[in-house]
Amino acid sequence: DQQVKQNSPSLSVQEGRISILNCDYTNSMFDYFLWYKKYPAEGPTFLISISSIKDKNEDGRFTVFLNKSAKHLSLHIVPSQPGDSAVYFCAARDRDDKIIFGKGTRLHILP
Amino acid sequence: NAGVMQNPRHLVRRRGQEARLRCSPMKGHSHVYWYRQLPEEGLKFMVYLQKENIIDESGMPKERFSAEFPKEGPSILRIQQVVRGDSAAYFCASSPGHHSGNTIYFGEGSWLTVV
């Protein structure tokens, strides 16, 4: 039973354009959502998070949007840069502080 | 370096041997998570611990796997009688504690290869 779903295994975006990574969840008890970026052979790096009481959080080139009624969140990266090529994981925290990850989306930034 | 420290980074074990993976959380963090990533898979939750207490081990295989986080020293993920299917990257993360909104921070991972 996959509670956090990233339905796109991969995404290619032209450098300078906007990258939009999507994530859906099924558990309405999740109260905090996080995005991580991962390069090969390294640990995941925290990018940005959002509380369930908000619908948007912005940090530099990264913005996360949360639509609670649709149980959907998205990460926007603008403008996309070559160094953004990585695997992006969406994660959600439940009330017991357990953090569940999606399977990830591999982002390719094209020159 | 005050980050999450994992060792060893790479570990090779023969089938049937034991693997021990260690994780030292960030300074001031009292909670540790372990995740496993199989090749071409996402991060799968294994266990969540605080010092001397397992909070949630719902992701741990029922046999051969155990985890601890003693009062002193690092958290240990122990895999007994390893099999080829245990080959994976094991990531540890830590957080300050039981508060809504706390982010978890990952170590660089331990890559286990069973031959």
Side-chain angles (χ1 to χ4, degrees), chain A residues 31-32 34 36 38-49 51 87 89 93-104 106, chain B residues 9 31 33 35 37 40-45 48 55-56 58-59 91 95 97-109 111:
Chain A
D31 62 357
Y32 192 65
L34 310 95
Y36 287 80
K38 187 180 180 303
Y39 293 120
E42 293 185 11
T45 303
F46 169 71
L47 271 178
I48 192 168
S49 61
S51 165
V87 177
F89 289 99
R93 175 191 293 271
D94 67 17
R95 293 294 170 88
D96 297 320
D97 271 353
K98 189 163 105 181
I99 297 185
I100 308 296
F101 283 78
K103 290 195 172 182
R106 187 178 299 275
Chain B
R9 287 296 311 277
H31 289 231
Y33 300 74
Y35 290 84
Q37 186 179 27
E40 305 303 317
E41 293 280 327
L43 292 162
K44 187 161 184 283
F45 170 81
Y48 171 34
I55 301 174
D56 187 327
S58 58
F91 292 98
S95 75
H98 207 70
H99 298 291
S100 177
N102 281 332
T103 300
I104 66 171
Y105 297 92
F106 282 87
E108 291 297 294
W111 270 257

Side-chain angles (χ1 to χ4, degrees), chain A residues 6 37-44 86-89 101-106, chain B residues 6 21 34-46 65 77 84-92 106-113:
Chain A
Q6 294 179 257
K37 174 181 178 179
K38 187 180 180 303
Y39 293 120
E42 293 185 11
V87 177
Y88 289 78
F89 289 99
F101 283 78
K103 290 195 172 182
T105 296
R106 187 178 299 275
Chain B
Q6 288 189 248
L21 308 176
W34 284 95
Y35 290 84
R36 175 164 68 172
Q37 186 179 27
L38 294 166
E40 305 303 317
E41 293 280 327
L43 292 162
K44 187 161 184 283
F45 170 81
M46 298 182 76
F65 284 71
L77 179 67
R84 288 231 170 97
D86 297 331
S87 295
Y90 292 83
F91 292 98
C92 170
F106 282 87
E108 291 297 294
S110 290
W111 270 257
L112 172 65
T113 302

